[in-house]
Every structure is written in C-alpha cells, then in structure tokens.
Amino acid sequence: MKSILCFGDSNTYGYIAGGLGRYSFDVRWPGRLERLLGPGWRVVEEGLCGRTTVFREPARPGGAGIDYISPCVASHRPLDFVVLMLGTNDCKAEFHASAKEITAGLRRIVDVVKAETSGAAKILIISPASLGESVWGGSDFGFDARSYHVSLELADRFAELAGERACLFLDAARIVTASGVDFVHLDERAHDLLACAMAGIILREC
C-alpha cells in the first residue's frame, strides 16, 4: 500500500465557494486522486481552512502549517508522497507578505517533511490557483488588491523552490481558476482537473 499525504488549506479541505459547506470525499481532489490512482493507494487528507505556511492569525490557533507539519507527517509515516498546496492564505492583507517571504515559509515546511521522512518521501509542491482579480471586493476573507498580485507571483517562486529542494512541481493556475463566486475557492470541475494532473505526475514517478 502506497501512502500520500495531502497537506493544504481550504482548497484541500474542499470548502464550497459561498460558504455552502464541504464537498464530499468523492468530489474533492484528494478523494478523486485516490480513485484515479486505484487499488494499492491510500490518500490522507490534511486540509484546514485558513492554513498558512508560517503566518499565525490569533483567531485561528493552529493555522500555521509549520506548527503542525512535523507531528502530522510523523503520525502518518511511512509516506511515499507528500503533496503541499499552500500559499493562498499567506496573501492576506494582514500579513503583508511578499511572494519571496511566502516561499521562505514553504521552504521551512519542505525541510521539515524531508527531515521527518529521512528524505524517503517524494514531495510535490503545488502552486495554488491564483486569487480572482476581484477578490478584494467580492469576498470577506481578508484579501486586498495587493493579495491578487502577490498570488500571481507564487508559481515562479515555488518552481524555483522545487528545483532547489529536488521536489516535483505543479502550477495549478495553468489548469484551474478560482470560483467566480468568491474568487478564492475551487469548484467541482477544478477539483477534478487538479486530481487528474496530480495523478499523472505521481504515476510517472512510480
């Protein structure tokens, strides 16, 4: 049995745009990924709404990925793959973080994963879908105009990080877009497309 840990935010959790709840396991991308990979694969979901790389919000205790990644990986070992899809929430106005600073936070998480798995797990870094251009006017998630522009810069930075740390890389923004409902979250079709792209990468690596 091969195991994959999917560590991310609300778009890994499967939050439905508009605050309508959570997609079922067979709809959200980790569930679809498990189905596409077939028998012999176990997908572990670790999606948390509001999760960042290293930035902490007082109203969301435990929301910084760096605070949870070590025990999370340790509790699910052995792992063949770890999929990391973070960065969206780091773009919030309150953090005022640059793409470089967000990438530095993700680098810390990658290094913890490598240490916790002794380098045995392959890491797939996913640069998330960019925020919608109207995100500062159409949602109440704490984003502003600057957030949109920073989100556009993440793909190039994350690709560089993947090269530095010998990780796999996928730019989700080339495949999917954020829902026009709230300009942040993925719709059902996007979850399917993302799962298909991941499955192709993972199966090529086996």
Side-chain angles (χ1 to χ4, degrees):
M1 179 70 73
K2 292 183 179 294
S3 294
I4 303 174
L5 172 66
C6 301
F7 191 82
D9 53 30
S10 56
N11 277 324
T12 298
Y13 172 88
Y15 182 94
I16 301 175
L20 301 177
R22 183 185 193 185
Y23 287 119
S24 61
F25 180 72
D26 62 322
V27 171
R28 51 191 189 257
W29 69 258
R32 293 195 176 199
L33 176 61
E34 184 173 86
R35 186 173 61 190
L36 288 167
L37 294 175
W41 290 85
R42 181 177 70 99
V43 172
V44 179
E45 289 183 297
E46 282 288 354
L48 178 66
C49 294
R51 178 174 281 150
T52 65
T53 57
V54 298
F55 301 102
R56 299 179 178 91
E57 290 183 85
R60 291 180 182 272
I66 194 64
D67 294 336
Y68 182 57
I69 189 63
S70 181
C72 179
V73 171
S75 67
H76 294 298
R77 288 185 306 225
L79 292 164
D80 297 280
F81 287 86
V82 175
V83 179
L84 302 173
M85 189 166 74
L86 291 168
T88 298
N89 292 300
D90 301 57
C91 295
K92 288 182 177 180
E94 67 179 292
F95 302 130
H96 202 71
S98 66
K100 181 179 180 180
E101 290 168 327
I102 295 170
T103 305
L106 185 60
R107 182 181 292 107
R108 290 176 60 189
I109 290 178
V110 167
D111 289 346
V112 170
V113 173
K114 285 183 171 289
E116 288 288 351
T117 63
S118 300
K122 294 183 179 180
I123 300 173
L124 170 57
I125 293 175
I126 301 180
S127 178
S130 304
L131 294 168
E133 191 171 0
S134 299
V135 69
W136 55 89
S139 75
D140 59 356
F141 296 107
F143 299 105
D144 61 8
R146 183 177 180 278
S147 302
Y148 164 71
H149 293 289
V150 171
S151 77
L152 296 178
E153 300 174 23
L154 294 181
D156 288 343
R157 293 283 187 173
F158 283 12
E160 291 175 4
L161 172 60
E164 292 170 10
R165 292 297 194 266
C167 298
L168 303 169
F169 176 73
L170 173 64
D171 179 4
R174 291 182 175 273
I175 304 167
V176 300
T177 57
S179 165
V181 175
D182 63 16
F183 311 102
V184 178
H185 297 100
L186 304 178
D187 62 19
E188 188 171 337
R189 176 60 174 159
H191 277 268
D192 185 39
L193 292 171
L194 196 53
C196 288
M198 288 185 214
I201 293 173
I202 290 168
L203 290 173
R204 283 197 299 270
E205 291 295 317
C206 293

